[in-house]
Amino acid sequence: MDPYAALIQPFVEFEFMRRALVACLALSLGCGPVGVLLVLRRMSLVGDALSHAVLPGAAIGFIIAGLSLVVMSFGGFIAGLAVAVLSGLVARVTPQREDASFAAFYLISLALGVLIVSTRGSNVDLMHVLFGTILAVDDASLQLVVSIATLTLVILAVIGRGLIIECFDPGFLRAVGGPGAALHFAFLMLVVMNLVAGFHALGTLMAVGLMMLPAAAARFWAGQVATLAATSSAIAFAAGYAGLLLSYHASLPSGPAIILIAGGIYIVSVAAGPRGSLRTRFLPRRHLEA
Amino acid sequence: MRRRIGIDRASDEMRLGAGISPLRSGVVTRLLWAGGLAALLWTAAAWALGWLR
């Protein structure tokens, strides 16, 4: 097949492919750095939990206003934030650790969301909320996703250094008067915001995929936070582009195709990346040889 | 470790001595990067939404 027809023409010819590609670019720029910070803060599974926590809010929004983008997004944002705050609260006022309280609240949230959608909506609606439809991203959805990515970039530019210092040296952050709790809360808000953006495209079940898989893969290619974030965004966009093409040419569902390509990049990174991969461990290069 | 991930505590302490908060260090550069990426993203969005026609 002609390379132009295979790699570029679908995006030139079809508006829905262009929208999906730009949605992938926006998600990559927003989710890439946020995912890296989640990995560095050892909160990878918290991202997954929060992505499921968005569901009941989106479902209530759906019951109130049908498939309304703004109402479902707002509901999802409130629900995700509520789970983050409640989990943090339980972890602070009881002996239970935050991972356990997150697991408890996200399971309650997930069950509640599925219950609401399945009793008041059809199976098609449930599938839409759970799996998303990146090829059906309309003008309003695209503008929302791009706005969230823009806001994420600006917020990270302002508080990013504090977040990184909090990851590696919380004692120093306290010593210089850094607002550790406020930074943590702002970071959770960023995570929820990006998951709400991702859920329109990939659904609540896979929204976290473009956040965590590229960030986890980037760990095998880069060592500094800025390069990790750039690598993570680049991997996320490459997965989005390749996944869209795969779904277009092979008539596959686009969301799983994108996440599976990101998964493939992760496996290749684990096997052959230049930093701490299986290759560097079991097939080290010769050095100091006379 | 801090140097390896791009944050150097000695530099931060020197900035503190000069009255610059380590939390705000480099914020203008980061905002410029964020602005540039946002401009790129909105240009791509304008292309996808048909605003450039």
Side-chain angles (χ1 to χ4, degrees):
Chain A
M1 189 190 278
D2 172 20
Y4 175 82
L7 303 176
I8 296 169
Q9 196 176 16
F11 301 105
V12 175
E13 197 170 332
F14 297 108
E15 204 175 328
F16 69 91
M17 288 294 282
R18 278 201 294 277
R19 286 197 189 128
L21 183 69
V22 175
C24 284
L25 176 65
L27 289 174
S28 312
L29 288 175
C31 293
V34 171
V36 166
L37 287 168
L38 277 171
V39 170
L40 291 178
R41 295 160 82 89
R42 296 183 177 84
M43 290 172 65
S44 304
L45 286 173
V46 168
D48 189 37
L50 281 176
S51 77
H52 294 73
V54 165
L55 186 59
I60 291 169
F62 171 75
I63 298 297
I64 293 170
L67 278 172
S68 161
L69 168 82
V70 177
V71 180
M72 283 174 75
S73 299
F74 184 70
F77 182 70
I78 297 296
L81 217 54
V83 167
V85 170
L86 286 172
S87 307
L89 203 65
V90 169
R92 272 166 186 76
V93 299
T94 71
Q96 190 162 58
R97 289 173 58 137
E98 199 168 14
D99 59 330
S101 59
F102 254 112
F105 279 108
Y106 110 75
L107 285 167
I108 294 168
S109 212
L110 181 64
L112 187 64
V114 173
L115 189 79
I116 291 170
V117 181
S118 56
T119 52
R120 302 291 295 272
S122 67
N123 278 344
V124 177
D125 301 325
L126 182 63
M127 294 294 274
H128 174 81
V129 175
L130 287 179
F131 298 111
T133 41
I134 194 163
L135 294 180
V137 168
D138 57 10
D139 286 5
S141 303
L142 184 60
Q143 287 173 44
L144 179 84
V145 173
V146 171
S147 302
I148 288 176
T150 305
L151 194 60
T152 303
L153 289 169
V154 172
I155 292 175
L156 282 179
V158 175
I159 66 167
R161 203 157 196 277
L163 287 172
I164 296 166
I165 294 176
E166 200 203 5
C167 288
F168 292 99
D169 201 344
F172 180 67
L173 183 73
R174 276 194 298 277
V176 297
L183 281 172
H184 185 68
F185 184 71
F187 177 65
L188 286 178
M189 267 181 63
L190 275 182
V191 175
V192 174
M193 252 167 51
N194 280 281
L195 289 173
V196 167
F199 117 81
H200 286 290
L202 301 164
T204 55
L205 286 184
M206 283 182 291
V208 77
L210 265 192
M211 196 177 274
M212 297 319 307
L213 282 168
R219 204 74 183 89
F220 294 98
W221 298 94
Q224 294 217 340
V225 178
T227 43
L228 272 171
T231 310
S232 171
S233 289
I235 290 173
F237 182 63
Y241 173 72
L244 285 174
L245 283 178
L246 180 67
S247 90
Y248 176 82
H249 290 298
S251 301
L252 294 171
S254 49
I258 291 170
I259 302 303
L260 277 176
I261 291 209
I265 295 173
Y266 171 72
I267 289 169
V268 169
S269 306
V270 172
R275 289 176 166 270
S277 66
L278 297 175
R279 178 181 65 79
T280 59
R281 183 162 180 195
F282 295 111
L283 299 168
R285 285 183 188 163
R286 290 183 191 177
H287 61 287
L288 297 177
E289 210 169 34
Chain B
M1 179 62 186
R2 289 174 64 88
R3 187 181 288 279
R4 204 165 68 79
I5 54 117
I7 291 179
D8 181 356
R9 187 166 185 162
S11 306
D12 284 342
E13 282 166 359
M14 280 172 67
R15 286 193 192 97
L16 270 177
I20 304 166
S21 165
L23 301 182
R24 285 199 294 272
S25 162
V27 73
V28 175
T29 311
R30 288 199 302 276
L31 277 171
L32 285 173
W33 267 102
L37 287 172
L40 174 79
L41 181 57
W42 277 103
T43 308
W47 167 66
L49 292 165
W51 293 348
L52 297 179
R53 265 177 254 144

